[in-house]
Amino acid sequence: MTALIDGKRLAQDMRGEIKRGVEKFVKERGREIGLAVVLVGENPASQVYVRNKIKACEEVGIKSYAEYLSADAAQDDVENLVKRLADDKNIDGILVQLPLPKHLDAEKILKLIPTAKDVDGFSEENTGKLCMGEDCLVACTPNGVMKMLERYGVETKGKKAVVVGRSNIVGKPMAMLLLNADATVTVCHSKTVNLKEECLRADILVVAIGKAKFVTADMVKDGATVIDIGMNRNEGGKLCGDVDFENVKHKCAYITPVPGGVGPMTITMLMYNTLQAALRR
Ligand code: NAP
């Protein structure tokens, strides 16, 4: 029988726990926890993401510092802002909303975020530590997936995990986390030969490619756990994942829906990382 992994519910539960953690921090340390969110330009999707992040901060009691720059901001302006936030003692975490306008050197800007304030977990040092199995700030989306597996009691040890997608911010850290959790991991991508056969071997199949309903029922082993990270719009403009949910769900032990699966966990993990960053300082 298939069980749905309810990301919305889990995210709510976790936000309650984070809120209690924040309250304890404020009481014990006598200061607030601060998250700076930098938005350059007026990309509508980015505006929604930033609004949701600020809302989540309010919900858990983290003080948000929204820093808006116009779309034509110069490289120096953005760099100076990030440097100022890096030195600001009230700020525990810095997030630069991506994508940045094309004329900006995003890599150079992201490198200015100190490792200790890198709540997105994208820095070279945090990524390196993750590879070494060391304690670090982990990218929010894959870390949220691990929390889902943990909370739903999905065993990873000795299991065959297949991650489809190898981006630096989702697929690769996802694979590393599963490896650190003792799964035997295969990473697939657009050049993978026999993708279907690879997927069919998975006890845990994680999909992060960005193609609506790409993973079909014939690619999924009976009793597998399927985690759908994809966020796409279908023909009718409705949000959907990379997995053909309606047809795949009958085969799985567990499956995440889209919406209501991985998505709500991502922002929650940003709150989690900000609390962790504050606790470490
Ligand atoms: P990305 O940077 O575009 O990477 C996509 C990956 O998928 C690449 O590694 C690519 O392979 C692989 N791929 C593309 N077509 C493929 C195919 N036909 N067969 C096998 N692999 C294929 O995307 P991303 O940033 O990782 O995001 C992936 C998806 O997750 C998107 O839908 C995004 O919106 C979603 N997402 C969701 C959340 C959330 O909170 N729910 C967070 C982040 C991302 P190559 O490397 O060979 O090109």
Side-chain angles (χ1 to χ4, degrees):
M1 212 186 71
T2 306
L4 208 63
I5 297 185
D6 186 346
K8 213 168 153 189
R9 173 81 195 275
L10 186 51
Q12 263 168 7
D13 291 351
M14 276 197 71
R15 283 187 198 193
E17 292 163 25
I18 295 164
K19 186 169 190 259
R20 287 190 286 282
V22 172
E23 282 165 359
K24 187 165 178 275
F25 179 96
V26 173
K27 208 168 148 198
E28 287 175 4
R29 313 262 182 120
R31 72 165 181 93
E32 285 190 297
I33 296 177
L35 172 66
V37 184
V38 177
L39 175 63
V40 186
E42 276 138 31
N43 178 321
S46 294
Q47 285 176 327
V48 174
Y49 289 137
V50 166
R51 261 205 307 277
N52 288 341
K53 284 166 189 175
I54 290 169
K55 225 172 96 196
C57 281
E58 282 164 13
E59 215 180 304
V60 300
I62 289 175
K63 187 169 166 56
S64 62
Y65 297 79
E67 302 283 353
Y68 300 117
L69 292 176
S70 63
D72 59 359
Q75 179 79 18
D76 274 354
D77 296 337
V78 189
E79 286 189 13
N80 288 335
L81 171 60
V82 175
K83 281 183 200 158
R84 174 170 69 70
L85 297 169
D87 292 338
D88 189 334
K89 289 192 171 53
N90 295 316
I91 305 287
D92 295 284
I94 304 170
L95 179 144
V96 175
Q97 187 63 46
L98 299 175
L100 287 170
K102 285 199 168 51
H103 68 279
L104 295 171
D105 182 342
E107 207 180 320
K108 217 169 149 211
I109 291 164
L110 293 180
K111 278 197 171 140
L112 294 170
I113 301 174
T115 307
K117 296 189 179 187
D118 168 37
V119 284
D120 256 337
F122 294 165
S123 71
E124 284 169 8
E125 201 172 326
N126 278 319
T127 308
K129 282 185 172 178
L130 177 63
C131 290
M132 305 292 278
E134 288 175 24
D135 188 38
C136 62
L137 293 168
V138 181
C140 299
T141 301
N143 209 13
V145 171
M146 294 310 288
K147 291 281 176 220
M148 288 175 135
L149 297 176
E150 267 167 46
R151 300 275 171 124
Y152 277 81
V154 177
E155 179 68 84
T156 50
K157 192 173 178 174
K159 299 294 176 192
K160 172 100 176 120
V162 174
V163 179
V164 191
R166 58 172 166 179
S167 69
N168 288 337
I169 59 172
V170 185
K172 281 183 196 162
M174 186 72 252
M176 209 45 76
L177 285 166
L178 287 162
L179 187 61
N180 291 347
D182 294 331
T184 302
V185 184
T186 301
V187 184
C188 300
H189 45 80
S190 68
K191 311 290 184 295
T192 297
V193 178
N194 293 334
L195 181 67
K196 179 177 161 185
E197 280 68 27
E198 296 294 347
C199 291
L200 273 169
R201 290 195 195 103
D203 300 309
I204 300 168
L205 178 63
V206 184
V207 193
I209 60 178
K211 292 201 164 126
K213 298 185 182 180
F214 183 85
V215 170
T216 45
D218 60 335
M219 297 168 79
V220 177
K221 180 165 95 172
D222 281 329
T225 292
V226 177
I227 306 288
D228 188 354
I229 297 182
M231 282 204 312
N232 315 290
R233 296 275 163 195
N234 68 12
E235 317 78 48
K238 269 181 73 182
L239 195 63
C240 71
D242 289 346
V243 175
D244 179 8
F245 180 83
E246 281 312 317
N247 293 309
V248 169
K249 68 177 181 192
H250 309 291
K251 300 189 81 177
C252 311
Y254 290 100
I255 187 166
T256 60
V258 179
V262 176
M265 287 299 288
T266 297
I267 292 185
T268 301
M269 295 313 291
L270 175 68
M271 300 300 114
Y272 175 86
N273 276 356
T274 307
L275 173 58
Q276 296 308 314
L279 286 167
R280 283 160 204 219
R281 271 179 62 205

